């Protein structure tokens, strides 16, 4: 049995439980002071939210996952602890735990994300490879998503200097299949990162989540050849929302594959043509200190109990249309902690869904 | 003999005289209230500047020019009078007179300049032609420089809707020679514009002067495929200095012909990919009223005489290195009118040269 503290087991049980996303996880720890206390409190919270208690991950299931992670030579990084990358920890939706395989110290380096089209032109792939290589030689680690096209070229260019691949499924699942050799090489010489347990096949909903990790790990994101409404633009939006630098490589208006990048530049992304342009934009010397402060969960905030009247009034303000939590708090006229508590209860009861941009809706 | 007022003849005599550029011309008119009075005063001014009087254009030479302009079917537009384009009049270095051939009312339209590489790619030329056509169909007149490549494509695309060609030599000189048919067509269906009298062959020093007119005539300048340090970038800089919109069409970093445009975008030019992008940037509905107020030359400012001490102190501050006039005024501690008078005298005496950005040096 690999070594895992009781707290880590409790954290993983929370993380793998139904209806508990990163924001709920954080709120539970903030409210109850520890994952174990949160686990104990969940049935009551869900009952107050008017639903059955969420199915909690069992201790044995989590122990099996921990064993499997050890068996495939990977390990965990927990939010707020040890080597968890500080830049990623800044995200409101930072993954509570990452599973990594390879050289985790790469995450101590200044990092630049490079993403782009899977069906990129040969010229753009060559450009991406050279750019990744030049950035790598300057001491930067490259983060990408191990997709076909630009992502693969970015990893190839930085394999010798430092490359980090964030995958949508488990780190032991080779996807896309033709990238198996590349993924194995990155696990050996670079770093594989995933939010999912081993064995999980990537599904479409995993990709946007994966994209936020790519953006969150990096000082800035460079987009090369992206179609409008592509995943690369989601990554760029995540980077912008996290206050990171968004950079794009331009192309001719006559090239459909340049549309997304040119549009990004029109919207304010920095036009980059070279590693120097990228380094000027992200200014790696400004990098934050390596060790983040422990995330302040504090001890249990006692006495933030919502009464039935508060609960009813918040529920009345909700329907199937996502609405910002800030707006709910403002309109309710109640203390933020009360509104958040009601939302937490509803979510644990399976009645609330969280959306991008801090919005929520009834399920 | 074509009709020309005595004032216009006097103005042309000033304009065609040695050592009298646009700024000096404007200062002379402001100081002496009329071109005729300025002509009378020049010998004394030059003597005070410590040189021989500049060779003034003779009345007969100017009358010959006026006849020639009429003979080739062209006419004059004088700064501060009648149809002279108000946008161009805003420039500090606005040409005191233009010679135009064709449909001068095109200058009443919202105007967009399009410039670019002479050796542009076929794709870029096609793009320029389509863009000019789409802008023309929206009611915009296109201004360009009748060079090979992008300029020619821009004129071709807007010949049916409204095209203005600013040429470096006389409007009757076909340059480049292969553009003769195009230049004739523009004189018939569009408008030819020049600062030079008929018969003048374009020389290298004429091109930057021509570029400032292109930029000055337009609400904004679009650059398509420009090499670093090319004339198109001079036009873009003129546009920026005049507070006009600078726009550029991006290209792949792998295409050397895209370098200039991509650099412009990095420096703040608006990335444009379509006529809609251009119209959004220049916002032709904001266009200034068609008739500008008469430029206020006033009557003679009497008693702005520089004494020898003032003259010596200004001269001592000058050498062969261009220095901003503002800086001279500040360092001299003397009234601006005195310093300007000394500079005017020196220029008329052939001892002072004016440079871009309001700078002057001794010859």
């Amino acid at each position: 049995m690999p070594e895992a503290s009781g707290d880590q087991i409790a954290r993983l049980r929370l993380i793998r439980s139904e209806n508990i996303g990163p924001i709920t996880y954080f709120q539970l720890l903030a409210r109850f002071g520890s994952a174990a206390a949160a686990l104990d409190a969940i049935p009551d919270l869900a009952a107050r939210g008017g639903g059955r208690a969420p199915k909690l991950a069992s201790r044995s299931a989590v122990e099996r996952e921990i064993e499997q992670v050890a068996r495939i030579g990977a390990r965990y990084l927990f939010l707020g602890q040890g080597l968890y990358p500080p830049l990623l920890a800044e995200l409101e939706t930072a993954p509570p735990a990452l599973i990594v395989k390879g050289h985790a110290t790469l995450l101590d380096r200044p990092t630049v994300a490079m993403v782009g089209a899977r069906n990129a032109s040969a010229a753009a792939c060559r450009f991406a490879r050279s750019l990744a290589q030049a950035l790598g030689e300057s001491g930067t680690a490259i983060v990408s998503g191990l997709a076909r096209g630009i992502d693969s070229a970015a990893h190839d260019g930085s394999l010798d200097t430092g490359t980090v691949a964030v995958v949508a499924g488990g780190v032991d699942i080779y996807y896309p299949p033709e990238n198996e050799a590349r993924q194995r090489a990155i696990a050996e010489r670079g770093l594989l990162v995933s939010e999912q347990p081993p064995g999980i096949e990537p599904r479409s909903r995993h990709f946007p989540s994966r994209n936020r990790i790519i953006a969150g790990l990096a000082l800035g994101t460079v987009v090369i050849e992206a179609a409008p409404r592509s995943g690369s633009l989601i990554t760029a939006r995540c980077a912008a929302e996290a206050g990171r630098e968004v950079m794009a490589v331009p192309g001719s208006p006559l090239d459909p594959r340049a549309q997304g990048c040119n549009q990004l530049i029109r919207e304010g992304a920095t036009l980059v043509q070279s590693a120097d342009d990228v380094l000027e934009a992200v200014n790696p010397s400004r990098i934050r200190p390596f060790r983040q402060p422990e995330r302040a969960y504090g001890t249990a905030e006692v006495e933030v109990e919502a009464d039935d009247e508060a609960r009813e009034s918040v529920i009345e303000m909700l329907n199937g249309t996502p609405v910002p939590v800030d707006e709910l708090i403002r309109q309710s006229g109640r203390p933020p902690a009360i509104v958040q508590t009601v939302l937490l209860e509803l979510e644990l009861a399976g009645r609330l869904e969280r959306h991008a941009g801090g919005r929520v809706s009834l399920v």
Side-chain angles (χ1 to χ4, degrees), chain A residues 23 92-93 237 241 322-327 354-360:
Chain A
I23 293 177
E92 192 194 22
T93 59
R237 201 186 59 217
E241 284 173 358
V323 57
V325 172
D326 290 349
E327 181 69 19
R354 293 195 188 264
H355 304 268
R359 294 169 309 143
V360 293

Side-chain angles (χ1 to χ4, degrees), chain A residues 4-240:
Chain A
S5 70
D7 179 50
Q8 288 175 344
I9 290 172
R11 283 175 179 238
L12 281 171
R13 287 189 61 199
L14 266 189
I15 294 165
R16 302 299 180 220
S17 291
E18 210 182 38
N19 300 339
I20 299 180
I23 293 177
T24 312
Y25 172 89
F26 179 75
Q27 291 188 341
L28 285 168
L29 260 66
R31 174 91 187 272
F32 297 101
S34 74
L39 285 168
D40 288 345
I42 282 173
D44 276 358
L45 285 172
R48 283 202 288 274
R52 63 167 186 80
K55 197 159 172 292
L56 297 180
S58 69
R59 185 178 178 94
S60 61
V62 161
E63 284 175 349
R64 279 197 302 278
E65 179 189 315
I66 293 171
E67 274 185 337
Q68 200 179 355
V69 165
R71 195 165 57 240
I72 63 172
R75 61 173 166 136
Y76 293 96
L77 301 180
F78 287 94
L79 177 62
Q81 297 185 336
L83 293 172
Y84 192 95
L87 279 172
L88 185 61
E90 291 180 357
L91 296 195
E92 192 194 22
T93 59
L98 296 174
I99 295 169
V100 300
K101 183 174 180 187
H103 301 270
T105 54
L106 282 175
L107 296 174
D108 299 348
R109 301 237 197 115
T111 42
V112 169
M114 288 178 58
V115 298
R118 285 188 296 273
N119 66 342
S121 66
C125 288
R126 199 174 62 239
F127 179 83
R129 201 161 49 239
S130 312
L131 182 63
Q133 188 173 347
L135 287 169
E137 284 163 2
S138 82
T140 305
I142 299 298
V143 183
S144 193
L146 198 59
R148 279 183 279 265
I150 297 296
D151 287 21
S152 291
H155 290 304
D156 290 353
S158 55
L159 190 58
D160 288 341
T161 49
T163 203
V164 178
V166 185
V167 296
V171 295
D172 58 335
I173 302 298
Y174 297 106
Y175 183 87
E178 69 265 35
N179 264 352
E180 176 168 347
R182 191 174 272 118
Q183 190 168 341
R184 288 185 186 277
I186 293 171
E188 271 184 29
R189 300 166 63 191
L191 183 69
L192 286 179
V193 176
S194 177
E195 190 181 14
Q196 302 301 328
I200 297 292
E201 296 280 346
R203 297 195 188 168
S204 57
R205 68 186 161 81
H206 292 145
F207 290 92
S209 297
R210 186 272 308 266
N211 293 343
R212 91 185 192 287
I213 301 177
I214 294 175
L217 282 172
L219 294 168
T221 293
V222 180
V223 186
I224 302 172
E225 282 199 354
R229 288 178 296 284
S230 61
S232 304
L233 298 191
I234 294 175
T235 310
R237 201 186 59 217
C238 292

